[in-house]
Amino acid sequence: EVVLTQSPGTLSLSPGERATLSCRASHNIGSFLAWYQQKPGQVPRLLIYAASSRATGIPDRFSGSGSGTDFTLTISRLEPEDFAVYYCQQYSGSPWTFGQGTKVEI
Amino acid sequence: EVQLVESGGGLVQPGESLRLSCAASDFTFSNYWMSWVRQTPGKGLEWVANVKQDGSEKYYVDSVKGRFTISRDNAKNSLYLQMNSLRAEDTAVYYCARVDGASLGGLSHWYFDLWGRGTLVTVSS
């Protein structure tokens, strides 16, 4: 099973700042990684798949990078609506697994 | 409106059974793999099971193998999760999720692109 470790657990930033979130895989997963955003009381929303491809309708301030075992989600300039929990998820092999999440807070 | 709506959650005792349903609307349900994903405050998000478009392939996380069964009825645009021998650690919000994919560089990439609002399952005596 591929274990995904996200860091930091919580990121305290202000609107307009840059956010850098990390996701590390226990095994090489190539580019088989997605990122999701979840706001309180809402369901997860797909942001990125294939490590760096933005999903439909996702603003270009969100970008993903990395391959193998180290991945990064970058939010170039935080908007108020970006404060949420972010999860990475791998689909390289079964079982598909999620990271434990990074909370981006004000 | 394109949506997934789960039902069937509730409070059950350890060892009991529950059947979750998910109704799909306004998309061609039979074209997609479908999944169940659960979420707990302590363990976060956990993929539970997948089923292929025609129901011929099913995959499960180890912790539910032999206890849970995923199925679908394409004529009714519905996905199901039969949960038997429930345990306290199965307590979670269960989401129905659509699996979409993209081919990039000859590789298939999969992702959950549509989620239901979830149904809460509580296993407690």
Side-chain angles (χ1 to χ4, degrees):
Chain A
E1 173 176 323
V2 176
V3 176
L4 297 178
T5 302
Q6 293 187 241
S7 61
T10 301
L11 199 52
S12 297
L13 295 168
S14 299
E17 290 192 297
R18 181 185 189 90
T20 303
L21 289 66
S22 174
C23 176
R24 178 162 290 179
S26 60
H27 302 87
N28 186 338
I29 60 170
S31 60
F32 295 111
L33 189 97
W35 289 93
Y36 298 85
Q37 174 196 66
Q38 188 175 31
K39 299 178 184 179
Q42 296 187 19
V43 302
R45 177 175 73 143
L46 175 70
L47 299 175
I48 301 284
Y49 63 93
S52 60
S53 296
R54 263 189 306 277
T56 303
I58 301 303
D60 60 7
R61 64 180 182 273
F62 290 92
S63 63
S65 62
S67 66
T69 60
D70 289 303
F71 301 86
T72 301
L73 175 70
T74 302
I75 311 171
S76 58
R77 294 173 311 279
L78 282 164
E79 297 287 342
E81 61 268 27
D82 298 337
F83 291 91
V85 180
Y86 293 82
Y87 295 94
C88 57
Q89 178 244 327
Q90 67 80 25
Y91 47 91
S92 171
S94 186
W96 292 357
T97 52
F98 290 85
Q100 81 280 17
T102 289
K103 182 178 182 180
V104 178
E105 65 176 22
I106 299 177
Chain B
E1 179 186 358
V2 174
Q3 62 177 352
L4 298 167
V5 179
E6 302 93 337
S7 60
L11 172 63
V12 296
Q13 295 192 346
E16 292 187 339
S17 299
L18 208 56
R19 188 194 196 208
L20 305 184
S21 299
C22 170
S25 303
D26 282 352
F27 67 94
T28 306
F29 179 72
S30 58
N31 283 355
Y32 294 89
W33 282 76
M34 295 296 297
S35 290
W36 289 98
V37 178
R38 63 187 179 185
Q39 185 170 31
T40 62
K43 289 190 67 178
L45 290 163
E46 181 180 40
W47 166 79
V48 174
N50 279 354
V51 61
K52 194 176 179 180
Q53 290 92 331
D54 61 0
S56 62
E57 294 182 35
K58 302 176 183 182
Y59 301 94
Y60 301 91
V61 67
D62 281 353
S63 61
V64 309
K65 280 180 184 175
R67 300 189 300 124
F68 289 13
T69 301
I70 189 171
S71 62
R72 65 192 296 162
D73 185 335
N74 288 339
K76 295 183 178 179
N77 292 328
S78 293
L79 178 72
Y80 306 101
L81 186 67
Q82 178 66 43
M83 304 186 294
N84 298 332
S85 303
L86 281 160
R87 306 168 180 167
E89 54 265 34
D90 296 319
T91 295
V93 174
Y94 283 74
Y95 296 105
C96 167
R98 186 175 75 178
V99 180
D100 202 356
S103 181
L104 297 171
L107 299 175
S108 296
H109 292 271
W110 304 101
Y111 43 83
F112 303 115
D113 74 326
L114 178 67
W115 299 66
R117 295 206 60 82
T119 186
L120 176 62
V121 172
T122 304
V123 184
S124 175
S125 55

